[in-house]
Structures are given as structure tokens and as C-alpha cells.
Amino acid sequence: MTTLSVVVPSYNSADFMHRCIDSLLVGGDDVEILIVNDGSRDATGDVADAYADRYPGRVRAIHKVNGGHGSTINVGLEVATGRYFKVVDSDDWVDADALAELLATLKRLDADSDGVDMVLSNFVYEKEGREKKRAVRYRRALPQARVFGWDEVGKLRKTQYFLMHSIVYRTELLREVGLRLPEHTFYVDNIFAYMPLPYVERIYYLDVDLYRYFIGREGQSVSEQVMISRLDQQLRVNRMMTEHAMTEISPDHAAYRYMTHYLEIICAVSSTLLLRSGTDDAIVAKEALWRSIRDEDPTLHRRLRRGALGQIINLPGKPGRKVTLAAYKAAQWRVGFN
């Protein structure tokens, strides 16, 4: 069994996917690279085939009709042979030294015990045109050099949550919980990073800057204008995460505190984008989002509304909305998230 399977979702990626794949090849035989060509209209499929021909047994090229980011992960999970599972988008890449340390850690954990359900590491925003890079690290909130559970996860800042970029899952855990991401939907990386959490028991934090998250390319799904144009999909993902928190985990579960922290951030993103769109319908949709949570799960609603983001995002009237948007712009400048 390979140590780590890495799915590389690829759509019209021919011009930039080489950097991603080359960074993964550094892992040698311990890494299975699954390039999933999602119905691309450029030479992505040819590039994938060329890598598979050159590195047989280490790289697989999988071609499918277009189904979106979630569908590529679903396909990758179906065929993965690695004990652990990670997703690296085709415009991102990993650090060579950090990857070597991750692989050594995964093998050591398996040798010393029954392994873990999830390994967390840091990621770096590689923003186009921004010289100073910002890393998201968890060293003040998570124990190091040992396996731990949710009860030992410390307080995370509002800029800290476990994105897809941070996570390596045990492959069989994802299969056991029946993870299946929606097709033809953007922003499902949040579902990937959220839905399995109630079933995660053994966690390990590796304090290395592994994942390099490239943002700033024109037309990226995380650019603000693109996100506003796809608000229906952002809200769909938000709703799925909310329903999961309502039905799959109780407030006394050790992971509940972190999951409400993550959900508060997602609700704040959805609400801010609705306000940024500037329409009366969007303001109504924002109010409906929060009202539905209040009506269906008052306990969850209280947790979300009492948080710092929940309060800022729900300041009343036009003056309140101006304060909300000013706070968003300040955070956008500081963090560089889109």
C-alpha cells in the first residue's frame, strides 16, 4: 500500500499544472499521484498522459466528463490505493522538504501505532504580486509531536481554520463515512474539510509549511467578483455545512466547538458577499440565512451569533452594513485571501 494518495483536480490546467505535479514527484514511490482531468478543453489530458507514461506506477491519468471539483475528488477517492489521502489543486504546489517530513511522519505513526485519522500542517498564501507571503500556522493552538483528540484543540483565531490545504485524511475513514461531494458546485473544498470531522478521533499536527496556495490568477473561483457571481453555490455549501452541524454532531461532542468556529467563518463569508453584491434581494437572503439557523437550531444560532464575526456581520441598518464591509476590506488587505 502506498503511503499517500494525492488527487490533483485538473481543468484547463495545461499552462500551470507542471509545477504542482513536479512538486509531488519529489515524494517518490511513497506518493501516488492521481491527475483527474475534468473534461478539459485544452491540453490538460495530454500533459496528464505524458506524466503517466513517464512515471508508470507513480502517476495515473484519469479522464472524465466535466463534473466540477467535487467530482474529481470523488473519483480520486474511489481509486486511491494510499493509506492516507490528500488533495492538491493543479495551480497549487507543495514544499519538497515539508513533503518529505510529512511522509516520514505518516510512516512513523503507522509503525508506532494504528496511525491517525487526520494530519494537519500549515499552508502559505502565494498571492500573485504580493512579495510578503502569509502562512497560516496552528502551533499555538495544537499539541505537537504527539497524537491528540478534539478535547486538546486550543482556541483558534478567526483567520485560522483547517482548510483542505491543511488536511491529510486516513483514506479508509473517508470511505467509512461515505464522503461524497456534490458535482457541478464550487467551494466544496469546505465540505471536504468539514463533513468528516465528527468521525475523526486521532489527530496529529506537523508544524511545517507544506501547502502553497496560489491566489490572484485571473478568473480563479476565489476571486471576489467570481464568488459574488456564484453566490448560489456558496450558499448551497453553507447550507450543507449548517445541516451537518445540526444533525451529525451534538453540542457535547468534543469537535463541536471547532466546527461552530469554522461554520461561523463560512456564514460570515456568505453574509459579506451578499452585502458586497449590493442588492435588496441579497440583503433579504442574508437575513433569511441567519433566520433559518435560528428557527431550526437555536443553540447553534446562539453560538454563531455570539462570536466576534457573528456580531460584526449582523450589525443593524445601513451604518452597521458599512462597518461590516469596512472590517471585511481591512481583513482582505491584511490576510490577502482573495
Side-chain angles (χ1 to χ4, degrees):
M1 180 178 286
T2 307
T3 302
L4 179 67
S5 291
V6 180
V7 175
V8 182
S10 304
Y11 176 71
N12 291 348
S13 306
D15 292 340
F16 49 80
M17 61 194 293
H18 297 273
R19 177 171 58 183
C20 173
I21 300 166
D22 290 344
S23 74
L24 295 168
L25 284 168
V26 174
D29 292 336
D30 289 321
V31 178
E32 173 188 53
I33 304 171
L34 304 170
I35 308 172
V36 184
N37 171 30
D38 190 35
S40 299
R41 293 172 293 177
D42 67 354
T44 295
D46 295 334
V47 173
D49 286 337
Y51 273 104
D53 290 342
R54 185 175 179 184
Y55 300 98
R58 293 173 57 191
V59 179
R60 290 185 59 184
I62 302 168
H63 306 280
K64 57 181 289 298
V65 297
N66 182 262
H69 193 255
S71 72
T72 64
I73 297 173
N74 293 338
V75 169
L77 183 57
E78 288 174 1
V79 303
T81 64
R83 179 160 169 76
Y84 294 95
F85 186 89
K86 186 166 184 60
V87 180
V88 179
D89 285 336
S90 58
D91 50 355
D92 301 333
W93 65 98
V94 298
D95 178 81
D97 292 338
L99 178 60
E101 192 165 349
L102 170 66
L103 295 169
T105 299
L106 293 175
K107 289 190 284 187
R108 176 175 56 79
L109 289 169
D110 279 354
D112 293 347
S113 64
D114 294 329
V116 292
D117 297 319
M118 180 170 71
V119 174
L120 299 167
S121 57
N122 313 321
F123 68 93
V124 179
Y125 284 102
E126 294 280 353
K127 187 166 187 179
E128 183 79 4
R130 188 163 182 166
E131 184 175 345
K132 187 176 181 180
K133 310 303 181 183
R134 179 180 177 275
V136 176
R137 302 185 178 102
Y138 311 101
R139 56 183 61 146
R140 294 185 179 180
L142 301 179
Q144 297 188 43
R146 63 182 176 86
V147 178
F148 59 92
W150 287 111
D151 58 330
E152 295 186 82
V153 174
K155 186 175 182 179
L156 292 156
R157 297 190 300 271
K158 296 306 180 186
T159 55
Q160 290 178 306
Y161 53 117
F162 310 142
L163 292 181
M164 178 189 77
H165 321 316
S166 314
I167 296 175
V168 171
Y169 283 122
R170 180 169 57 84
T171 307
E172 283 307 310
L173 173 76
L174 300 182
R175 291 172 176 159
E176 288 164 6
V177 303
L179 180 70
R180 188 81 182 174
L181 303 182
E183 299 192 357
H184 299 292
T185 304
F186 285 87
Y187 317 120
V188 296
D189 52 318
N190 288 301
I191 296 175
F192 177 84
Y194 195 75
M195 298 302 200
L197 298 183
Y199 317 103
V200 168
E201 296 180 355
R202 294 168 55 82
I203 309 169
Y204 191 92
Y205 170 52
L206 181 64
D207 185 12
V208 295
D209 297 345
L210 173 67
Y211 197 104
R212 321 303 287 203
Y213 177 27
F214 182 75
I215 56 176
R217 182 169 53 82
E218 185 177 355
Q220 272 189 304
S221 62
V222 293
S223 70
E224 182 179 284
Q225 289 306 311
V226 172
M227 290 190 75
I228 289 174
S229 71
R230 294 171 178 159
L231 262 169
D232 59 326
Q233 298 180 55
Q234 169 69 22
L235 291 172
R236 181 187 180 194
V237 168
N238 197 150
R239 182 61 190 170
M240 292 180 68
M241 294 173 67
T242 304
E243 290 176 350
H244 197 66
M246 292 176 179
T247 60
E248 296 299 319
I249 189 167
S250 65
D252 58 357
H253 192 293
Y256 187 79
R257 181 167 61 90
Y258 169 73
M259 291 183 69
T260 55
H261 166 81
Y262 193 163
L263 187 57
E264 181 189 353
I265 294 168
I266 295 300
C267 288
V269 170
S270 298
S271 299
T272 303
L273 290 171
L274 286 165
L275 294 179
R276 287 284 289 169
S277 71
T279 67
D280 292 339
D281 287 345
I283 294 173
V284 171
K286 172 189 170 290
E287 294 172 352
L289 169 67
W290 288 93
R291 185 171 58 250
S292 67
I293 299 173
R294 182 196 64 199
D295 293 345
E296 295 177 44
D297 193 330
T299 300
L300 178 61
H301 181 262
R302 283 194 299 271
R303 287 292 297 260
L304 299 178
R305 282 288 274 108
R306 289 175 181 175
L309 290 178
Q311 294 182 48
I312 292 172
I313 210 68
N314 287 293
L315 293 171
K318 287 185 178 179
R321 291 197 289 272
K322 288 183 179 179
V323 172
T324 297
L325 293 176
Y328 164 76
K329 293 301 291 183
Q332 186 183 48
W333 175 84
R334 181 176 181 273
V335 178
F337 47 77
N338 62 26

